[in-house]
């Protein structure tokens, strides 16, 4: 069935987001409709509004959400009405070389569902009946959303929705970069460059993995204080030092692992330069497609350094999302503390402004629509 829903829409790159009433169509084969309870406001959503991530408008934003299944389509057996689920913007075919070797984030067919569902269509229409694209096959910054089952993960219904939502992007990206991509070893020394929602989770991933020294690097004193609350042992304010990489090396002697959580070539260079011999730098941030990074090539073989990327924490969503929530329930990861402020959907523009101003660890839009 069709449902009316308020949604946050990007109509034009470079313009403020709008809240519109849209129509969300019911699920087709292998799809489910979700009543969204909470949706995190992520920098990637912002990047879609500026064109840095070039999803074509008009676009329903949102990829980091949790909700309750209210309708299932033909052929769906793994979900039923009432299940709690989180969204996943990773589309996976399950058949390509990367999927079958356990690397669904690198699915060779994922680009077919960047701003639509895997079948190439959408279930979202505006008030004029025109189709609306959806961020990352999700478009979950809305009261309802219809997703393919591969873009949904069933989760424990005892976890608060606003916490569960964050696992689908910020937490998975940061913690996964530590656990899955870097595979940080206990006793290691680490540095995290960029202390937003992802950077904070990289920090607590380092804590959980047993790092003995964790240096948080940023230009925002408020964020550096947050970093300490999440487990950073040292901080470096780049506005107070001439060279952030040298400041990190002075503290640590050179880190074993550096995590770049900004998405900027110069920051990648700083992260790489902060490494000790044999160190690994992991690029987590989403950079502009034209951005470039310059390195001293000889340092790669001479110091046996490694530079690698991490997309959504190298996640296997159906396995890793419940695993992370298990760590939260065991008291080993902070999720409650990540939610700095919640917003009704009518204040979506304010939530984006606050994110840009660096006020929140994570802002979350919460929905009050009754299940129907």
């Amino acid at each position: 069935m069709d449902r009316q829903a308020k949604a946050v829409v990007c109509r034009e790159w470079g313009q403020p987001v709008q809240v519109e009433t849209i129509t969300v169509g019911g699920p087709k084969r292998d799809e489910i409709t979700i009543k969204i309870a909470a949706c995190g406001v992520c920098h990637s959503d912002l990047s879609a509004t500026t064109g840095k991530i070039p999803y074509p408008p008009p676009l329903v934003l949102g990829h980091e959400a949790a909700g309750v299944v209210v309708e299932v389509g033909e052929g769906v057996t793994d979900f039923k009405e009432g299940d709690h689920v989180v969204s996943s913007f990773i589309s996976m075919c399950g058949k390509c070389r990367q999927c079958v070797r356990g690397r669904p984030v690198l699915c060779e067919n994922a680009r077919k569902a960047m701003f639509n569902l895997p079948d190439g269509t959408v279930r979202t229409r505006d008030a004029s009946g025109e189709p609306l694209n959806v961020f990352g096959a999700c478009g979950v910054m809305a009261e309802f959303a219809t997703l393919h089952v591969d873009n949904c993960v069933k989760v424990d219904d005892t976890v608060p929705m606003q916490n569960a939502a964050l696992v689908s992007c910020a937490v998975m990206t940061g913690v996964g970069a530590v656990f899955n991509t870097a595979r940080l070893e206990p006793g290691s020394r680490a540095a995290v460059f960029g202390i937003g929602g992802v950077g904070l989770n990289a920090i607590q991933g380092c804590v959980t993995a047993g790092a003995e020294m964790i240096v948080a690097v940023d230009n925002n004193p408020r964020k550096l204080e947050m970093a300490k609350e999440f487990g950073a042992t040292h901080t470096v304010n780049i506005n107070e030092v001439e060279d952030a990489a040298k400041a990190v090396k002075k503290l640590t002697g050179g880190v074993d692992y550096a995590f770049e959580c900004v998405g900027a070539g110069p920051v990648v260079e700083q992260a790489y330069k902060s490494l000790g011999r044999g160190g690994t730098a992991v690029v987590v941030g989403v950079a502009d497609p034209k951005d470039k990074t310059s390195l001293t090539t000889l340092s790669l073989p001479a110091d046996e350094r490694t530079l690698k990327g991490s997309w959504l924490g190298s996640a296997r969503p159906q396995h890793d999302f419940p695993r992370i929530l298990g760590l939260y329930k065991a008291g080993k990861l902070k999720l409650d503390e990540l939610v700095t402020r919640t917003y009704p959907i009518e204040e979506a523009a304010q939530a984006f402004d606050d994110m840009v101003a660096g006020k929140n660890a994570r802002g979350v839009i919460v929905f009050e629509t009754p299940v129907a």
Side-chain angles (χ1 to χ4, degrees), residues 311-331:
W311 187 247
L312 188 61
S314 303
R316 300 150 296 174
Q318 282 72 14
H319 170 77
D320 287 322
F321 289 5
R323 175 190 177 200
I324 286 177
L325 288 174
L327 289 171
Y328 160 69
K329 293 190 68 177

Side-chain angles (χ1 to χ4, degrees), residues 79-139:
F79 298 90
K80 64 182 186 303
E81 292 182 21
D83 283 346
H84 287 211
V85 298
V86 296
S87 58
S88 169
F89 65 88
I90 296 300
S91 292
M92 58 197 88
C93 69
K95 299 176 182 179
C96 72
R97 180 171 177 268
Q98 297 296 346
C99 281
V100 299
R101 68 196 288 253
R103 301 297 306 280
V105 294
L106 301 179
C107 175
E108 294 168 356
N109 295 306
R111 293 185 184 278
K112 295 179 181 179
M114 300 296 285
F115 47 85
N116 45 243
L117 300 191
D119 70 354
T121 65
V122 293
R123 307 290 166 266
T124 41
R125 304 187 304 275
D126 65 14
S128 300
E130 295 298 315
L132 296 164
N133 294 321
V134 289
F135 187 113
C138 293

Side-chain angles (χ1 to χ4, degrees), residues 18 63 162 321:
Q18 301 180 28
H63 58 284
Q162 64 187 32
F321 289 5

Side-chain angles (χ1 to χ4, degrees), residues 182 184-192 206 209-215 233-234 248-259 274-281:
L184 185 147
E185 301 167 345
S188 298
R189 299 181 177 187
V192 177
C206 291
E212 70 169 9
M213 198 170 184
I214 305 166
V215 184
T233 60
H234 299 76
V248 172
K249 294 193 82 168
K250 184 177 180 180
L251 284 169
T252 65
V255 294
D256 303 301
Y257 299 93
F259 300 91
S274 74
L275 297 174
R277 303 196 74 188
T280 297

